[in-house]
Amino acid sequence: MPVRIRPDVAALPVYRAGRPPQAAPGLTPYKLSSNENPYPPLPGVMAAVQAAAGAMNRYPDAGNTAITAALAARLGVDGEQIAFGTGSVAVLYQLLQAVCGPGDEVVHAWRSFEAYPIAIRLPGAVGVGVPLTDRAEHDLEAMAAAVTERTRAVLVCTPNNPTGPVVRHEELVRFCERVPRDVMVVVDEAYVEFVRDPDAARGLDLLADFDNVVVLRTFSKAYGLAGFRVGYSVCEPGLAAAVRAVTLPFGVSSVAQSAVLASLEAEPALLERVDTLVAARTSLLAGLRGLGLDVPDSEGNFVWLPAGARTAEWAAALERAALTVRPFPPTGDDPVALAAAGLRVSVGEDEANARVLEVAARF
Ligand SMILES: Cc1ncc(COP(=O)(O)O)c(C=O)c1O
């Protein structure tokens, strides 16, 4: 007789990782399916990691002491407010585990980050997905209206993965004023370093006025450490302690901690690379719009092609050109399902971005 698995766990949706690059004759393949940083590690970061690997027989610092101190100084917050995890997605799991139980509700925009529905269902909570506006933005008005006495958390993704637009700061302030203070508001800023819109939400600025706000960030994107799995949250110390209480001990490895320290030291060089990616994003958006495609604004390291019913066809055309992107096929043929379908294309190497435009010209 097989082991009885919790029914809610057996029913969890499976997280689909971005596909690896696919070969095509005569073309360099590019992976544009996971919003990764296309640049290889900086030499200084590589050296720090190699040095740390020499102590792999020892457990890492379970308290993440050095990276907490360095990050607290960098962000101008207290170390007590920071909780690290193995990627910001792990920290999100921890946050929801800390505040939600069976039957509680979590309001979030949809379409948004694929991991949200899974993270919500792990503690037995129920996701309340609020459709994006026709500009692929969060509908904060509708999200505020969706908060009930069963709501324990709200997830705000800015810039929104996979569509790209940010939530504006003033709108987020008004939203937070409407949400009860015992409901957690997670502001997921995984792509914050790529944001150039001066009106965009500034999660950290909300912390002074809203004890229930949690800012979620990662070293996976701008800092290029996706393979090492380090993310963190910043919030009031009591909630941060609860997040740490549900953390797997020794989660962030010693090599990952050394990479974080070296990356914070090398921040100017890393942020220069971010500037280059932002410039590439601007050209890609302009190029796609120049082809007549109705592409929403993006403040992340990716763009959204609202392909609707043609999502699979466009993904196949890109794949024939050795470009792997992230298709979100329609889940039905009604207007809502078609509006939510499309392709997310990460901003990558110059050649990859140019090839995206070449293929898109044939759409
Ligand atoms: C919006 C958003 N949040 C969080 C994450 C998780 O990143 P990580 O777990 O690598 O820190 C991602 C990754 O794609 C993301 O797009």
Side-chain angles (χ1 to χ4, degrees):
M1 220 200 310
V3 170
R4 268 180 284 164
I5 295 170
R6 266 170 49 199
D8 46 343
V9 171
L12 278 180
V14 177
Y15 182 80
R16 292 178 305 122
R19 270 158 58 74
Q22 306 295 304
L27 291 173
T28 307
Y30 290 106
K31 181 174 181 228
L32 307 177
S33 55
S34 295
N35 293 348
E36 291 155 334
N37 191 317
Y39 294 105
L42 289 172
V45 177
M46 197 69 182
V49 165
Q50 279 163 344
M56 68 171 79
N57 53 313
R58 302 289 176 190
Y59 283 106
D61 169 9
N64 301 307
T65 323
I67 57 175
T68 301
L71 187 65
R74 164 72 183 76
L75 299 179
V77 301
D78 198 295
E80 299 253 280
Q81 295 177 263
I82 297 175
F84 277 100
T86 51
S88 58
V89 75
V91 183
L92 178 66
Y93 279 33
Q94 292 160 212
L95 281 163
L96 292 174
Q97 210 181 327
V99 308
C100 295
D104 290 340
E105 289 181 359
V106 179
V107 173
H108 61 95
W110 198 251
R111 181 169 296 281
S112 192
F113 182 33
E114 286 277 279
Y116 292 164
I118 307 171
I120 291 166
R121 283 163 70 168
L122 272 179
V126 179
V128 179
V130 176
L132 298 173
T133 67
D134 54 9
R135 291 165 66 199
E137 295 177 2
H138 279 50
D139 187 342
L140 289 182
E141 194 58 41
M143 286 175 71
V147 172
T148 70
E149 73 255 12
R150 289 187 301 280
T151 309
R152 303 282 11 110
V154 182
L155 311 181
V156 176
C157 188
T158 176
N160 186 48
N161 173 10
T163 57
V166 283
V167 168
R168 273 165 287 277
H169 191 74
E170 291 315 316
E171 288 170 20
L172 188 54
V173 171
R174 284 199 295 279
F175 175 79
C176 289
E177 282 165 356
R178 286 180 64 181
V179 174
R181 295 304 167 99
D182 60 350
V183 172
M184 174 172 75
V185 177
V186 177
V187 183
D188 185 343
E189 295 190 333
Y191 302 95
V192 68
E193 297 85 359
F194 298 94
V195 173
R196 295 293 177 271
D197 180 346
D199 295 330
R202 302 178 303 276
L204 291 178
D205 287 359
L206 295 171
L207 298 180
D209 293 324
F210 301 99
D211 263 2
N212 54 333
V213 167
V214 184
V215 177
L216 197 60
R217 292 195 177 175
T218 181
F219 282 92
S220 297
K221 309 294 177 183
Y223 294 84
L225 300 182
F228 276 162
R229 316 302 302 121
V230 194
Y232 61 92
S233 58
V234 188
C235 58
E236 64 87 17
L239 181 54
V243 176
R244 281 189 230 102
V246 296
T247 302
L248 282 181
F250 303 113
V252 184
S253 72
S254 42
V255 279
Q257 292 187 38
S258 69
V260 166
L261 279 183
S263 299
L264 287 172
E265 273 166 31
E267 201 169 43
L270 289 167
L271 294 183
E272 250 174 58
R273 292 171 157 195
V274 169
D275 281 340
T276 308
L277 290 168
V278 167
R281 172 186 79 204
T282 307
S283 316
L284 190 56
L285 278 176
L288 292 165
R289 287 172 176 162
L291 295 169
L293 294 167
D294 185 16
V295 183
D297 285 333
S298 175
E299 294 282 327
N301 63 342
F302 54 89
V303 298
W304 173 250
L305 303 182
R310 299 182 66 192
T311 297
E313 181 195 327
W314 289 11
L318 287 157
E319 193 143 315
R320 279 195 298 279
L323 300 171
T324 313
V325 302
R326 178 70 77 97
F328 295 91
T331 49
D333 52 13
D334 55 291
V336 176
L338 289 175
L343 310 169
R344 189 194 67 200
V345 182
S346 307
V347 177
E349 296 80 351
D350 288 346
E351 186 183 335
N353 305 333
R355 205 184 298 160
V356 168
L357 288 177
E358 275 165 39
V359 178
R362 301 197 289 272
F363 286 163

